Structure formats: C-alpha cells, structure tokens
Amino acid sequence: VKSLAPSIWELDDVKKGVLCMLFGGNSRKVKKGTEARRKNRERARQEMLDADVENSDTDMEEDDDDDGETKLNKRGDINILLVGDPGTSKSQLLGYVHKLSPRGVYTSGKGSSAVGLTASVVRDPETRELVMESGALVLSDLGICCIDEFDKMSGTTRAILHEAMEQQTVSIAKAGIIATLNARTSILASANPVESRYNPSLSVVENIQLPPT
C-alpha cells in the first residue's frame, strides 16, 4: 500500500481499493439456460447414474453442448468512483495509476465526448474509405481508463459508459459500419461533491447527485 503513490500521505483505504482494481478478479463464463432445462438435465443425469451407464459424464457433456446454450460472461473488473473535496489528491492518484497500468488511458470528463470515449468513423485521407478509430475505452482494453472531473461530464457522454462497465463491450453503428469492440477495462473516475464541498449532514446520494442509470 505504501508503494502506491508514496508522495500522497495516508488515504490507505483508498489505496487498498485502487490496488484491488489494479489486480482485478477472475472473469467467468456461465452457461445461460432456463430452470426447466437444468431440472431436465439433473433428472436425466440421475436416471443415468441409477442405470449405471458407462461414460455417463461424457454423454452429459455432449448433451449440454447440443442444447445450443450461450455462455454468459461475468466480468472480474472493478470500477471505482473517488468523490472528495478539491485538493485531496484525487487527480494525483489517477495520474499514478495511469503510469502504473501498461495500457492505461487518462482523460478529462469535461473535454471528453461520447465519440472520443467509444469510437469514431472517419474517412481515410489516402484511400477515401470510411475507417473506424478507437476511443479511450477501446484503447484501454485489458487496462485501466482514468476519467477526471467525472461530475462535469455531460449526461449523454456518461450514459455511454453503462455498456462498457457492465458488458465490457462498445457497440458502433455508424455510416454503414456495425461492429462490437472489446472494452475489458476498469474505470477509475474522480468527481467533486455538490458545491465542491462534502456536507456531512447530507446523505451520500445528496452529496454526489449523479443521475441514476
């Protein structure tokens, strides 16, 4: 903990949370099926065990694959929002994390647009063909995207982050180009409370006042 941002005094709990985000977790793929299918598989497995059929496990794996079930992706990344008074080293901590992460991207919320965070479609100056340019979330794939001044970001731009934080993908449908890009990134954002001062007499929701998803 002390080796992370050593010039910033204290804030051990914040640094522990940031370290957990840097290490990340394990992403899992879970089979997506209905409760009735699961009960049918369990009943069939029990009947095969009672009949002492050889290689029952192999047969059941083949039956599961034949069901055509898709696998649900469960992310193992953590997203963190740091909220505090001005001058509490939030931007400095974001700068340290950006330098530590091999594929880290640092951006400011006020100067970022929805296209800049996801991807844009531009015309190549040489071939005159439409090409896609990656944004901050796509460039920080398998890394960390640091967003400063999160409270000053527009509502439209903030809504773009919902898909990237939950599904870890970015969907694009522009100028005849339809694509889904990977955005397996952790988002570390910092924001100031309302009126740039945290009021202990108010609740956390009233101090932050970010719109719900």
Side-chain angles (χ1 to χ4, degrees), residues 31-102:
K31 287 188 177 180
K32 190 177 179 182
T34 61
E35 189 68 25
R37 286 183 178 178
R38 281 194 287 268
K39 288 182 179 179
N40 291 335
R41 286 199 303 269
E42 290 177 0
R43 191 182 300 112
R45 185 180 291 111
Q46 189 64 35
E47 290 176 358
M48 294 176 73
L49 288 175
D50 294 340
D52 294 329
V53 179
E54 295 181 356
N55 300 326
S56 60
D57 293 335
T58 307
D59 295 337
M60 287 306 301
E61 290 178 1
E62 293 176 357
D63 291 342
D64 290 344
D65 294 338
D66 294 339
D67 288 342
E69 295 178 351
T70 58
K71 288 189 176 181
L72 185 66
N73 226 350
K74 289 194 174 183
R75 61 181 175 87
D77 297 320
I78 305 172
N79 302 311
I80 295 179
L81 174 63
L82 302 176
V83 180
D85 295 347
T88 51
S89 305
K90 298 189 300 296
S91 299
Q92 295 292 328
L93 194 59
L94 261 67
Y96 273 107
V97 174
H98 167 241
K99 292 177 183 177
L100 277 176
S101 179

Side-chain angles (χ1 to χ4, degrees), residues 25-198:
N26 296 325
S27 59
R28 298 178 58 191
K29 285 189 176 181
V30 184
K31 287 188 177 180
K32 190 177 179 182
T34 61
E35 189 68 25
R37 286 183 178 178
R38 281 194 287 268
K39 288 182 179 179
N40 291 335
R41 286 199 303 269
E42 290 177 0
R43 191 182 300 112
R45 185 180 291 111
Q46 189 64 35
E47 290 176 358
M48 294 176 73
L49 288 175
D50 294 340
D52 294 329
V53 179
E54 295 181 356
N55 300 326
S56 60
D57 293 335
T58 307
D59 295 337
M60 287 306 301
E61 290 178 1
E62 293 176 357
D63 291 342
D64 290 344
D65 294 338
D66 294 339
D67 288 342
E69 295 178 351
T70 58
K71 288 189 176 181
L72 185 66
N73 226 350
K74 289 194 174 183
R75 61 181 175 87
D77 297 320
I78 305 172
N79 302 311
I80 295 179
L81 174 63
L82 302 176
V83 180
D85 295 347
T88 51
S89 305
K90 298 189 300 296
S91 299
Q92 295 292 328
L93 194 59
L94 261 67
Y96 273 107
V97 174
H98 167 241
K99 292 177 183 177
L100 277 176
S101 179
R103 302 189 67 175
V105 176
Y106 184 90
T107 181
S108 177
K110 196 170 185 178
S112 299
S113 63
V115 176
L117 287 176
T118 55
S120 61
V121 178
V122 297
R123 193 172 294 277
D124 190 88
E126 296 181 359
T127 61
R128 306 302 299 170
E129 293 181 355
L130 292 175
V131 294
M132 190 162 45
E133 289 187 354
S134 302
L137 292 173
V138 182
L139 290 175
S140 60
D141 185 32
L142 297 177
I144 294 176
C145 182
C146 303
I147 304 176
D148 202 1
E149 305 292 343
F150 191 75
D151 55 317
K152 297 175 179 61
M153 185 182 292
S154 64
T156 307
T157 308
R158 199 182 294 116
I160 296 294
L161 300 173
H162 294 165
E163 182 189 359
M165 287 192 293
E166 184 180 358
Q167 306 295 335
Q168 294 198 318
T169 56
V170 171
S171 301
I172 299 294
K174 295 180 181 178
I177 297 178
I178 301 174
T180 301
L181 306 175
N182 286 327
R184 297 160 295 183
T185 176
S186 298
I187 295 179
L188 176 62
S190 67
N192 292 328
V194 180
E195 298 179 358
S196 297
R197 198 73 181 173
Y198 192 87

